[in-house]
Amino acid sequence: MQYFLRTILIGALTAVLFQSTTTQLLADGRLHGEWKRDDGNVVVSIVPCGSKTCATNTWVRDTSGGENVGDRLIMELNKGRSVLTGEAFDPQRNLTYKLKINLSDFRFVSRGCVVLGMLCKTASWQRSGAP
């Protein structure tokens, strides 16, 4: 169960993300960049990848929960300025998550759900180097 919840956490992220929304958000630099999860265990890089956005783990403190450097999420979110909704695909686990991101300049909170929204995990993220 812990592995599954950590998998959801990865899905709720890392960044990572969108079609038309990606261009708008990344253009103003709000989502693009390095983000550290508040528990201090993971750092992700969020960048455009084709018409979507990818979040890739660039650093993982403890890999015992199933998270590894190089794990990636491919995200596609609906247009929004501070609240983004959509889906994230985790190719390592072949899982698709319903995703909601509440975004501000230096922080975001992600919530990823699987199994008809019955199993969800929330994570808070801070931009690396943020005040």
Side-chain angles (χ1 to χ4, degrees):
M1 183 65 156
Q2 182 181 13
Y3 174 77
F4 187 69
L5 291 176
R6 286 193 186 259
T7 300
I8 291 172
L9 182 59
I10 292 171
L13 192 20
T14 193
V16 273
L17 292 108
F18 328 76
Q19 284 180 350
S20 63
T21 305
T22 300
T23 304
Q24 174 190 349
L25 289 172
L26 293 178
D28 72 9
R30 295 190 65 222
L31 191 59
H32 189 212
E34 296 281 321
W35 297 86
K36 182 177 182 179
R37 196 168 63 201
D38 277 357
D39 68 4
N41 195 53
V42 176
V43 175
V44 299
S45 175
I46 299 177
V47 298
C49 57
S51 64
K52 297 181 172 74
T53 299
C54 290
T56 304
N57 290 350
T58 58
W59 181 83
V60 178
R61 177 183 307 186
D62 178 10
T63 60
S64 67
E67 296 177 272
N68 295 294
V69 170
D71 283 357
R72 179 173 71 139
L73 288 179
I74 303 166
M75 296 184 280
E76 186 172 346
L77 298 175
N78 298 316
K79 189 172 183 176
R81 187 75 181 144
S82 61
V83 178
L84 308 168
T85 59
E87 291 187 344
F89 176 66
D90 180 349
Q92 293 79 222
R93 291 157 191 87
N94 195 29
L95 290 172
T96 298
Y97 306 89
K98 293 290 183 191
L99 184 61
K100 180 178 180 182
I101 295 176
N102 292 301
L103 177 67
S104 66
D105 290 334
F106 298 105
R107 300 188 54 74
F108 74 87
V109 176
S110 60
R111 182 167 179 82
C113 300
V114 295
V115 189
L116 302 173
M118 302 290 289
L119 295 174
C120 300
K121 183 70 175 179
T122 300
S124 296
W125 302 82
Q126 181 173 333
R127 188 177 294 281
S128 291

